[in-house]
Amino acid sequence: MLKIARELEADGIKNGAGKDKWHTSNINSILRNEKHIGYALLQKTYTVDFLAKKRVKNNGLIPQYYVVNLSCLTHQYVSEERNVQNLYRPFPYK
């Protein structure tokens, strides 16, 4: 993760807050976000009353759709790399 952060900084890419500094926690959250990894469950909530803007959790009343993108292969590669890096991390884990 640190290598990715340093490469983003070297390329001059700003993080989500518009800062030049990237933290490994930012990289981890991006890589674990379902939208970024290529998986998405749609219609987790739905609007009951559009005038009152009332939304409720979908417990199966309306259909949900699971969308998979080809970028999930990239995510699998990154996950495997993260697991390998954790093997070489000094104890105790932080």
Side-chain angles (χ1 to χ4, degrees):
M1 299 306 126
L2 189 59
K3 183 179 176 184
I4 295 172
R6 298 299 169 246
E7 287 180 16
L8 290 169
E9 290 171 0
D11 291 342
I13 299 172
K14 297 187 183 296
N15 66 17
K19 309 276 182 178
D20 294 323
K21 176 78 174 151
W22 281 86
H23 299 279
T24 55
S25 60
N26 298 118
I27 308 295
N28 277 325
S29 65
I30 289 170
L31 295 176
R32 292 186 178 153
N33 184 318
E34 72 174 6
K35 303 269 187 322
H36 292 290
I37 63 175
Y39 300 107
L41 179 61
L42 305 180
Q43 292 182 311
K44 293 178 194 172
T45 61
Y46 64 96
T47 304
V48 179
D49 182 5
F50 71 92
L51 291 176
K53 299 181 182 175
K54 172 87 171 144
R55 295 186 65 80
V56 295
K57 184 177 179 182
N58 183 4
N59 292 320
L61 188 60
I62 63 171
Q64 293 179 320
Y65 302 97
Y66 196 67
V67 179
V68 179
N69 191 339
L70 291 179
S71 67
C72 64
L73 297 174
T74 303
H75 175 262
Q76 289 172 351
Y77 171 76
V78 171
S79 294
E80 289 170 7
E81 281 295 312
R82 186 173 52 230
N83 291 337
V84 168
Q85 289 175 5
N86 285 339
L87 291 175
Y88 298 106
R89 197 171 197 186
F91 188 78
Y93 298 116
K94 291 185 180 182

